[in-house]
Each structure stands twice: as structure tokens, then as C-alpha cells.
Amino acid sequence: LCFHSSFAFGVATASFQIEGAWNVSGKGESIWDRYTHEHPERVFDHKNADVADGSYYKVKEDVQLLSQLGVNFYRFSISWPRILPDGLSNNVNEDGIRYYKELIEELRKNKITPVATMYHWDLPQSLQELGGWTNPIIADYFVDYARVLLDNFGDTVKVWLTFNEPLTFCENGYGGDDAPGGRSSGFEDYMCGHNVLRAHGMVYRMFDQKYRKITKGVMGITNVFPWIEPATTSREDQKAADAARQFMFGWYANPIFSQQGDYPQVMRKAVDANSKRQGFPRSRLPYFTAEEVEMIRGSFDFMGLNHYTTYLAAPGSGKISTKPSYQDDINAIITQKDEWPKSNSTWLRVVPWGFRRCLNWIKNAYNNPKILITENGVSFEAGLHDTKRVNYIDAYLRALHAAIYKDGCHVLGYTYWSLMDNFEWMRGYSERFGLYQVDYESQNLTRTPRLSAKYFSNVAKTGCLPDDY
Ligand code: BGC
């Protein structure tokens, strides 16, 4: 079973999860530095990412890992506070520029295409003091940051992603327990999403007008879409599943990728109605101006897609409490089937067919956009003989193959998350997603290829899935 020769294979990481060196050579503090230091008790085993995988010191070594895998591209993220210690562009940290230039150069020497994400959750703490993503002004500061990146790396990086998973960092960060620990569900999460969408649109328009010609690059955004299957075939369950898809994926996809733009109608209606019932004089979900709808609509060259797992949906009770909540607004009961194989992450079960449905849903909803799978992966316990990971990748790649060659979905490439084990946010180092195992007990943070590295390397080099492995 082979993919077309132009189909690309890569692996991904993110700055905060691998770099370490949290306060050296002029780097500023990020919200995740602050949060893990101030609230160690909230992170599994009280861990933080002060050292992480030490990738800041291992440019050559890490690129060698990539080269051994034989991947076409490497998706990494750039740390905003490493580039702009105070978040603002009047003070550029030259060492930050040096570090990413070195990485990009090393990748190019090894014929690996750099794919850069501008924001994978490590906001400068100084901007959080202003309200972070809930303050509309942040969109302007994100544009300033993006300009610094495009001015410095635009000639060598041709594939850009503005954001990684706004759903996750807005929902978990401002509506839940991730950094910065907003815990203001149904309110600050919507403000965050609103400003992220504005910021994305503004950066895309700047890119389109000022940089595209010079850099000859492309730009997209990465959203996460777990497949949501109706719990039964009943009409109610189908309706609940559709609403849940719109609240999770449509929230960030509809304004950018749909023909009409703006938030999905089910979301607009539900949040407006619930806000009213709760006695608010205005909707908790902000409104875009007509100009903003136009600016954001169509702001993509391709769609970045992260997909890991599948859930079931059934209708919720319809009751809402006086305290706003995103969960109440969705009004669905989200579960997983016991029989679906487990991983080492509570939320992640192995359901390959969900991947194919997800891609088909996008094809139908958004006129078959070009998609780059920017993350897909699974966590298992430590160990080098990870047959379960090999089975996961193989099964998900088969589902992807069917989506492309049987269903006609327009997918350009596939990224495995992750190149190596790393700091898994609130789960510390307890959940391992790596093709390479990282030995956190060793001085060198030694990387060792797992069986899955061998498997994936064979796929990346041949473009084919082995019949037998
Ligand atoms: C995130 C990664 C994370 C992975 C596994 C994705 O949602 O982008 O940063 O490590 O999930 O939890």
C-alpha cells in the first residue's frame, strides 16, 4: 500500500516541550514557566520543563535523529519569549534568532524541510499580565512578533502555521487548568478564541500582502479534530454529535475555511440563548464585525490538522447553571467505548476509522481543502519494543490512505507526534509519544530509537506501508 511520491512524511515537536534552557541567553519567561514553577502540585510528579529534552543545546544531534528517520520535513515551534523576551518587538533577543537560524540551517543541510509553528502555547508572561489572549490588543502584538519571524526566517522557512490548536490552549488555558489557569469556562475561553482568530487573520493578510512574493511560502493554522460519532443512530444523538463537532472543530474552522465565514450557527445560537437565560445583556461569544468576518474568511493556503482519537456524543440535559460553562453550551455527553483499545493517556483511545470519517467530514464541510496532517500519535509506557505504537501508526495510516485514495480527500502529508518523548504539559514526563525514547535519568538525555522509529523510517523512505511488520 503506497502513497503518491509527492506525499510527505514528517515528525513534530514544540518549543516548550523539548527545548529546556528556560532562562538562559536572554530568553524571557513564558506562562508555562511561571505556571509550572508556581503550581508544581498541579503537574504530574511536580515536574517542569526547565531542562526538558535539552534540545536548545542539541541542534545537530536532533537533526541527526531526523535524518536517520529519513523524513521529508520537521515541524517545530518557535518560542515567542525566546525571540521577544518581553513579548514586544522593540527588544529582539539575538540569541533566539541565532538558535532557530542554526536549526533551520542544519535542517536544510540535511534536506529536511522546516515547517514552523509561530505559537505552540508558550506565551510571554509579560503579555499574560495584560490579560493574555483575552485582551484584544494581543492580536496587534502577535502581528509584530510574526513580522519579526518572517523578516528573519522568511527566506528559509516556506511553510508556516500561525497557531497550534487554539481549542486546546483557549479551552484548557482560560476555561480550565492548563497555564495560565484561567478556569473561566464559557467566558474567557470565548474571548481567547475570538482574539486568536483575529490574530490569525491579521497575520495571514500581512503575509499575503507583504511576504508571499518574497518568501514564496504558504501559511495555515493547525486545529485539532477528534472525530465525534453519535452514540447511537438516533436523531437526537446525531444532532448532539453535530453540535459537538461544531463546538470543537467548527469554532476555529468555520470562520476560516467555510464559504460564509464566522462562527458556526449552532454555536452562535446556543451561546446567545444561554447567555440570555443567564441574564447577561450580551452574548458570552463575542461578535466579529463584518470586516473581521471577511478578513478571517479564506485566510489559509492549507489546513493543518491534528487528529488523535474519537469520542461518542449523546444529548445533554439542556440544563444550564448560573455560572457560564462551555460544557453546558455544547450540551452533549461525551464518552468513549470501553472496548476501544487504551493508550497511556486517559483521553486517547485507538480508533483508526474515526480518522477517515474526520477527513471526509472536512471534505464535505469545507469544499475539500488541502490538508497537512500536522499531528497524529499515541502515548505508551516507556520501553523500546513499542509494538502497540507501530500498530497505531500503521492502522491510522491505512485509514488515511483510504481517505485519500478511496474518498478523494486532499491530504498533502502526514506528521507523527512526536519525534521523541517530551514534556507532556500537565502530565509531565509520564506520557511518552516519542519515536525516540528519551532517558530522563541520564546526564545526556540520551535518545534511543524505538521499534516504531524503525517502522516509521521505512514508511517515510519508501512511501509505502509494509504488508508485514
Ligand atoms: C498538542 C501537543 C501534545 C499532544 C499530546 C496535542 O494536542 O499539540 O503539544 O503533546 O497533543 O497530548
Side-chain angles (χ1 to χ4, degrees):
L1 206 59
C2 294
F3 289 80
H4 192 267
S5 62
S6 64
F7 189 85
F9 289 92
V11 288
T13 60
S15 50
F16 189 77
Q17 296 179 270
I18 64 162
E19 285 178 9
W22 77 281
N23 62 351
V24 308
S25 307
K27 178 182 168 291
E29 188 185 16
S30 78
I31 54 172
W32 276 95
D33 293 318
R34 175 69 63 94
Y35 197 64
T36 52
H37 293 154
E38 263 184 6
H39 293 291
E41 77 288 351
R42 292 195 192 161
V43 184
F44 187 85
D45 261 357
H46 295 203
K47 298 287 192 205
N48 59 47
D50 292 0
V51 176
D53 292 358
S55 287
Y56 173 78
Y57 301 106
K58 293 177 183 292
V59 168
K60 286 217 156 85
E61 188 179 336
D62 285 353
V63 175
Q64 272 321 298
L65 305 182
L66 294 159
S67 164
Q68 278 156 28
L69 283 177
V71 286
N72 307 106
F73 66 92
Y74 177 45
R75 174 177 178 240
F76 61 96
S77 83
I78 299 177
S79 159
W80 188 343
R82 197 180 291 290
I83 299 288
L84 306 179
D86 319 306
L88 308 177
S89 61
N90 61 329
N91 175 19
V92 179
N93 177 27
E94 287 310 323
D95 176 71
I97 305 285
R98 191 256 335 137
Y99 169 65
Y100 293 108
K101 278 207 165 143
E102 224 168 276
L103 172 63
I104 294 161
E105 190 44 39
E106 195 61 23
L107 289 169
R108 278 159 50 91
K109 267 196 223 154
N110 285 273
K111 301 203 167 43
I112 298 164
T113 303
V115 174
T117 305
M118 294 178 163
Y119 186 83
H120 199 127
W121 311 357
D122 39 1
L123 185 73
Q125 179 63 31
S126 51
L127 294 181
Q128 189 53 45
E129 315 289 324
L130 304 174
W133 290 106
T134 64
N135 184 342
I137 194 81
I138 198 168
D140 294 320
Y141 293 131
F142 185 70
V143 171
D144 295 343
Y145 164 56
R147 191 181 299 115
V148 172
L149 299 187
L150 291 166
D151 282 340
N152 281 282
F153 312 122
D155 55 339
T156 46
V157 177
K158 306 292 176 197
V159 188
W160 289 95
L161 292 152
T162 51
F163 290 98
N164 178 70
E165 296 192 6
L167 173 75
T168 314
F169 73 82
C170 287
E171 201 42 58
N172 299 356
Y174 291 87
D177 256 347
D178 280 16
R183 296 183 173 176
S184 175
S185 181
F187 193 48
E188 289 189 30
D189 42 5
Y190 294 144
M191 294 180 184
C192 171
H194 199 69
N195 294 321
V196 166
L197 284 161
R198 288 177 49 248
H200 164 79
M202 286 158 69
V203 166
Y204 182 84
R205 296 300 162 204
M206 172 174 77
F207 175 76
D208 204 30
Q209 284 153 23
K210 301 214 181 103
Y211 291 94
R212 185 191 295 285
K213 264 211 193 113
I214 318 168
T215 66
K216 302 198 173 56
V218 286
M219 185 173 276
I221 181 172
T222 280
N223 286 313
V224 60
F225 191 7
W227 177 244
I228 315 277
E229 181 75 5
T232 70
T233 52
S234 76
R235 279 205 122 191
E236 294 73 29
D237 287 1
Q238 288 185 32
K239 231 179 119 187
D242 185 58
R245 281 174 214 138
Q246 296 294 354
F247 263 90
M248 291 186 189
F249 186 65
W251 179 3
Y252 294 98
N254 214 72
I256 299 172
F257 299 96
S258 75
Q259 280 220 303
Q260 64 284 7
D262 212 338
Y263 292 118
Q265 278 206 345
V266 272
M267 188 173 180
R268 177 86 271 160
K269 274 197 193 144
V271 186
D272 286 7
N274 288 348
S275 303
K276 209 167 187 180
R277 282 161 72 191
Q278 286 162 327
F280 293 104
R282 64 176 57 84
S283 179
R284 291 181 276 101
L285 181 66
Y287 276 77
F288 291 118
T289 64
E291 291 76 34
E292 284 172 334
V293 169
E294 278 313 296
M295 188 254 306
I296 298 166
R297 194 170 70 98
S299 58
F300 68 96
D301 300 318
F302 66 97
M303 172 190 278
L305 180 71
N306 292 356
H307 174 86
Y308 287 88
T309 196
T310 288
Y311 298 103
L312 298 174
S317 67
K319 286 196 195 118
I320 52 164
S321 78
T322 46
K323 195 174 174 314
S325 122
Y326 169 72
Q327 307 307 336
D328 281 1
D329 290 339
I330 303 183
N331 190 31
I333 298 167
I334 305 288
T335 54
Q336 287 181 311
K337 267 202 181 138
D338 283 342
E339 68 211 54
W340 293 344
K342 288 183 180 170
S343 69
N344 226 23
S345 307
T346 50
W347 53 274
L348 204 175
R349 285 178 185 255
V350 185
V351 196
W353 54 263
F355 196 13
R356 184 172 175 186
R357 294 211 179 169
C358 184
L359 288 161
N360 274 281
W361 189 91
I362 294 171
K363 176 184 163 215
N364 295 329
Y366 305 126
N367 194 25
N368 205 8
K370 286 183 199 156
I371 295 177
L372 177 64
I373 306 300
T374 40
E375 288 179 29
N376 171 250
V378 67
S379 68
F380 287 114
E381 50 289 334
L384 296 176
H385 199 74
D386 57 342
T387 43
K388 284 191 277 186
R389 179 173 289 101
V390 172
N391 291 341
Y392 176 99
I393 303 174
D394 193 78
Y396 274 73
L397 281 176
R398 278 171 204 279
L400 174 61
H401 192 277
I404 299 172
Y405 300 104
K406 291 202 172 125
D407 311 332
C409 298
H410 199 166
V411 185
L412 309 169
Y414 171 91
T415 316
Y416 180 78
W417 178 275
S418 177
L419 167 64
M420 57 192 159
D421 296 338
N422 55 52
F423 181 75
E424 184 49 37
W425 310 109
M426 302 300 268
R427 304 298 306 156
Y429 297 94
S430 66
E431 296 180 10
R432 291 163 178 265
F433 283 82
L435 297 178
Y436 284 83
Q437 174 155 291
V438 177
D439 179 1
Y440 292 103
E441 303 301 315
S442 73
Q443 266 265 306
N444 285 340
L445 297 161
T446 308
R447 288 92 155 113
T448 312
R450 295 197 163 107
L451 187 67
S452 55
K454 213 170 141 203
Y455 167 85
F456 193 65
S457 151
N458 180 50
V459 173
K461 286 172 183 163
T462 62
C464 300
L465 304 178
D467 295 331
D468 201 11
Y469 56 83

